[in-house]
Amino acid sequence: NGADACCEINKIIRDPTKMLNGNVTLCNTIDQSTEADGLYHLCLASDCVHFQEFHDGLLCTIARTLVVDGVALMCQPKRGASLQNFMKLVDAVNNAPHSSVDDKKASEALNCCKVTANGPLFHMVLFEDFYPKVSTMHTSLLIGAKNEPTYRYDPDRHQPLLLVL
């Protein structure tokens, strides 16, 4: 639970101007509004895009809870087409003519996020090699998987990629 970790860090910091605030939000629907709307400058999410039926709710939750110019850092493996499909949804929302959208998920995401014609909702960048220690570990795990048949490292399910919105 992110909120518990923030409480522990805040006990150490003891400076109210530098306190952290954490919130765990269920994003299984696009119709939910929370008290966190427009509150956060940074959203940290890990391994959240594997349930494709929640992609629209996840995107709306991120869009609603971030302030304008806020950043979402999402550490995700590819998980088949799941990460790519989430990125396609972000692209569809960013590039959709706001009057008519054929893609149902993109249309719902546009409506819930109150997207205007002022430009894309998110600028999106995917980093595959974002931290040397992670890259080194990935390489050694690949070698281990080749040398040991019982080794269970699957880059599609285990290699973290960094998606920045």
Side-chain angles (χ1 to χ4, degrees):
N1 181 332
D4 292 341
C6 287
C7 289
E8 292 304 312
I9 292 169
N10 286 340
K11 287 179 189 174
I12 296 167
I13 295 174
R14 297 175 198 233
D15 179 351
T17 64
K18 296 179 181 174
M19 294 291 195
L20 297 175
N21 185 4
N23 193 355
V24 177
T25 304
L26 180 63
C27 48
N28 63 347
T29 176
I30 61 170
D31 298 325
Q32 275 183 321
S33 186
T34 71
E35 68 266 2
D37 285 4
L39 181 65
Y40 296 103
H41 296 271
L42 178 65
C43 171
L44 300 175
S46 177
D47 206 9
C48 290
V49 302
H50 57 282
F51 294 121
Q52 295 187 57
E53 63 271 20
F54 299 131
H55 280 179
D56 53 348
L58 175 62
L59 183 59
C60 286
T61 301
I62 292 169
R64 281 195 302 245
T65 58
L66 286 176
V67 298
V68 174
D69 291 330
V71 175
L73 300 175
M74 303 176 71
C75 193
Q76 310 293 144
K78 288 181 184 175
R79 289 196 181 263
S82 187
L83 178 59
Q84 193 63 39
N85 289 341
F86 181 78
M87 292 172 67
K88 286 179 183 178
L89 177 63
V90 175
D91 278 337
V93 168
N94 281 343
N95 299 320
H98 301 297
S99 57
S100 66
V101 178
D102 292 334
D103 183 336
K104 183 180 181 221
K105 283 190 176 285
S107 177
E108 291 172 345
L110 277 170
N111 291 334
C112 86
C113 297
K114 297 176 182 66
V115 175
T116 65
N118 294 333
L121 180 63
F122 289 110
H123 297 280
M124 179 173 53
V125 181
L126 180 66
F127 296 94
E128 292 192 23
D129 187 17
F130 60 93
Y131 188 64
K133 186 173 182 174
V134 172
S135 299
T136 301
M137 183 176 281
H138 167 67
T139 301
S140 77
L141 289 169
L142 281 175
I143 292 168
K146 287 180 184 175
N147 294 336
E148 179 62 44
T150 60
Y151 209 72
R152 303 236 164 149
Y153 177 71
D154 178 2
D156 183 62
R157 292 185 338 203
H158 299 123
Q159 180 189 9
L161 307 174
L162 182 62
L163 180 62
V164 179
L165 303 176

